[in-house]
Amino acid sequence: MIKIKWLLSLALAGILSVAGVNASQAEQIVVANYGSSVNGMPWVVALEKGFFKEQDLDITGIIGSQGGSSEVRNLIAGDLAYADSALVPILTAIKAGGSDLKIVSENGHTTTQFVWIVMPNSPIKTMADLKGKSISFTTPLSTSQILNNMLVKKAGLAQGDVKLVSTGAYGAALTALQNNGIDVALVAEPVYTLNKDKFRPLFFSRDIFPAISSTVGVTSAKVANDRPDAIRGIILAHRKAVEFMKANPKESAQMIAKVYKMDPGIVEQVITELMDHNTSDGQPFYSLGDLYPKGMDAIVDASLEAGALKDKVDWRQYVDQSFLPDDLKRDIK
């Protein structure tokens, strides 16, 4: 009888244990270039400061991706709760496969993180000087290539007037620049701050372009229907992290530096640079979750012109603002 009671108690404990796991509903999210790109920094703070736990969320980890469409594929295949991704891969997935995705927030309003740099003794000083020169970008159809196309157009030049060179990683672009393989390198934070003593900034994206959407938050219809509170909690945790970073850059830098394997002082410089400079139309780099339609239209239009999007897709019909706090809901018409 004692043995039977013991077995029953073990079985009951197992049932309660499983019930507890299901009740807590562990979550994972995927973030493009987490651990290397500045868009991922608030997610580090959200984890370290317990902002997810404050929303009764058990976020067990953040999955980094290589950017592009990889985080969208992870979201669809893995039934993950949320992805932080560039808008164009989301629209491409929707257009190509009819993926049932919902855009629920915007995390980066601008491309403030991008800087065009030259060697200190370069004769290039103005946009007119770009004619006949070569400029780097990372990979075909990337945001860096799109920005280069926009720069050439703003300079009043034809695309054939400038040679665009794919160098892959930003480190390779720096090497090419130092060895006269290219004339101008387009890099992003934190690469610029890490190397700014060796190069001269030519143009900051924030100074020559209004807001251009950097990343948005997306979920699947299934998660939106089954776990709406999880989506609301993730958005609020990101908002709190952005607000904390602005108020406490030094403490934030200490947390981020551990994940990004960087010097905390450099991270603090990057945070300050991003937080202190808005675009010409007054938009900050980090969004609290609200959508800025002009910036989202801008990346779509630029992607169409560059060929990253083959057909225009109306992103507005895939937006669901019901997960945002009322003060962050915008008229997106």
Side-chain angles (χ1 to χ4, degrees):
M1 180 64 71
I2 294 175
K3 186 175 182 180
I4 293 173
K5 287 183 178 179
W6 179 72
L7 289 171
L8 286 172
S9 67
L10 281 180
L12 179 59
I15 292 169
L16 291 175
S17 175
V18 171
V21 170
N22 289 337
S24 62
Q25 190 63 62
E27 305 284 353
Q28 284 187 316
I29 62 175
V30 58
V31 176
N33 299 306
Y34 180 71
S36 60
S37 180
V38 289
N39 69 288
M41 289 182 175
W43 298 113
V44 176
V45 176
L47 274 174
E48 293 297 317
K49 293 298 293 183
F51 294 151
F52 291 117
K53 290 182 179 178
E54 288 180 7
Q55 302 301 322
D56 294 324
L57 291 173
D58 181 16
I59 299 292
T60 58
I62 295 173
I63 302 171
S65 79
Q66 297 302 309
S69 60
S70 55
E71 64 272 5
V72 180
R73 289 196 300 271
N74 285 337
L75 177 69
I76 297 169
D79 192 30
L80 300 173
Y82 181 96
D84 183 334
S85 171
L87 178 60
V88 171
I90 294 168
L91 297 180
T92 301
I94 291 171
K95 187 71 176 177
S99 300
D100 197 5
L101 300 175
K102 292 180 178 291
I103 299 166
V104 294
S105 62
E106 187 175 15
N107 299 328
H109 281 320
T110 78
T111 53
T112 293
Q113 75 270 37
F114 285 96
V115 188
W116 285 270
I117 59 174
V118 294
M119 296 300 296
N121 59 352
S122 171
I124 302 173
K125 301 260 199 283
T126 69
M127 289 188 187
D129 296 334
L130 294 174
K131 187 171 183 177
K133 301 301 189 292
S134 56
I135 309 176
S136 72
F137 66 96
T138 54
T139 56
L141 306 184
S142 62
T143 300
S144 59
Q145 185 185 28
I146 292 169
L147 285 175
N148 276 334
N149 289 335
M150 293 176 66
L151 177 66
V152 171
K153 183 177 180 180
K154 188 172 183 67
L157 302 173
Q159 292 300 323
D161 290 336
V162 176
K163 182 181 179 182
L164 300 185
V165 181
S166 174
T167 57
Y170 293 122
L174 298 181
T175 300
L177 184 60
Q178 290 174 307
N179 289 279
N180 300 314
I182 54 174
D183 299 302
V184 181
L186 175 57
V187 298
E189 292 287 15
V191 172
Y192 169 66
T193 297
L194 283 167
N195 297 277
K196 66 180 182 180
D197 293 339
K198 304 174 186 175
F199 305 98
R200 171 165 57 86
L202 186 60
F203 312 118
F204 289 85
S205 178
R206 65 173 183 253
D207 294 334
I208 60 176
F209 296 124
I212 304 168
S213 179
S214 180
T215 66
V216 297
V218 62
T219 191
S220 66
K222 182 179 185 303
V223 174
N225 291 329
D226 294 349
R227 290 178 278 162
D229 288 341
I231 303 305
R232 293 188 186 96
I234 290 169
I235 292 171
L236 285 173
H238 183 271
R239 176 182 188 167
K240 290 198 69 172
V242 171
E243 292 170 337
F244 185 87
M245 287 171 65
K246 187 170 182 62
N248 306 277
K250 185 176 291 293
E251 185 179 347
S252 300
Q254 294 288 336
M255 293 180 276
I256 294 166
K258 294 177 183 177
V259 175
Y260 278 59
K261 297 178 173 57
M262 290 173 58
D263 179 85
I266 295 294
V267 177
E268 186 177 355
Q269 287 182 50
V270 171
I271 292 173
T272 302
E273 183 75 13
L274 294 173
M275 292 286 191
D276 286 356
H277 293 93
N278 293 349
T279 52
S280 59
D281 49 348
Q283 294 302 306
F285 175 70
Y286 288 117
S287 168
L288 299 181
D290 56 308
L291 278 65
Y292 185 61
K294 288 184 179 179
M296 295 173 74
D297 284 336
I299 191 64
V300 169
D301 292 342
S303 299
L304 282 166
E305 191 167 340
L309 275 177
K310 301 302 179 185
D311 301 295
K312 186 155 188 175
V313 182
D314 184 8
W315 56 267
R316 289 168 174 80
Q317 63 182 300
Y318 304 107
V319 167
D320 184 348
Q321 295 192 75
S322 65
F323 304 98
L324 293 172
D326 288 341
D327 66 312
L328 296 184
K329 293 175 182 176
R330 303 285 183 260
D331 181 1
I332 61 173
K333 294 180 181 178

